[in-house]
Amino acid sequence: MTDYEIERDITINAPIAIVWQTIADPQKITAWFSDAAEFTAMPGNRGTLTFNANTEPHVVPITIVDADEPHRFSYRWVYPPDQEASTANSTLVTFTLTATDHETTHLRVVETGLEQMVLPDAEKDSFADQHRAGWQTQGDRLRALFAAQPE
């Protein structure tokens, strides 16, 4: 069986409340993740993340699953985008934040549920590879965002 686990651990030099805002506020998420975002961080709410907004936009519907400020934020990421989220067509992205001290936050990103999606194995493999690389890139962008902040 193929390993569809998608995980990333990131140490960020910022207080947990600031990191929470950066991952759960649509106006701030665009600084490191998507080109546009529309959602309210409340369980059950639906929204969108838009990538490549200046070319051919790729709009991804999301459904907020959990918003336990400042410790956990999760949403279902629907694929393909023209459907309502279910275990057969979406993965669950969970951000878990832990303050390691007053100025440092450990962020764990886990994307699960790919094995339950109704997709050919080759498409699942490609999805997992793309998302592993994506979370690596986006995590680096998030860490750099805080590294660039003046003290």
Side-chain angles (χ1 to χ4, degrees), residues 77-148:
W77 167 285
V78 182
Y79 179 86
D82 59 346
Q83 300 178 13
E84 189 169 323
S86 74
T87 57
N89 70 359
S90 66
T91 57
L92 178 66
V93 176
T94 303
F95 298 89
T96 305
L97 296 83
T98 307
T100 55
D101 60 38
H102 293 297
E103 297 299 321
T104 309
T105 303
H106 176 261
L107 174 63
R108 181 166 180 75
V109 181
V110 179
E111 188 170 354
T112 59
L114 182 55
E115 68 283 347
Q116 297 172 356
M117 290 178 64
V118 181
L119 295 173
D121 286 346
E123 201 167 334
K124 288 181 183 180
D125 292 342
S126 176
F127 184 104
D129 290 344
Q130 289 174 3
H131 283 233
R132 277 189 200 102
W135 287 118
Q136 183 70 36
T137 299
Q138 303 312 77
D140 290 348
R141 287 179 68 190
L142 181 60
R143 182 186 300 123
L145 177 68
F146 289 105

Side-chain angles (χ1 to χ4, degrees), residues 22 25-38 50 141:
T22 306
D25 180 334
Q27 294 179 355
K28 296 187 189 243
I29 201 170
T30 58
W32 68 277
F33 188 56
S34 61
D35 296 306
E38 293 183 26
T50 302
R141 287 179 68 190

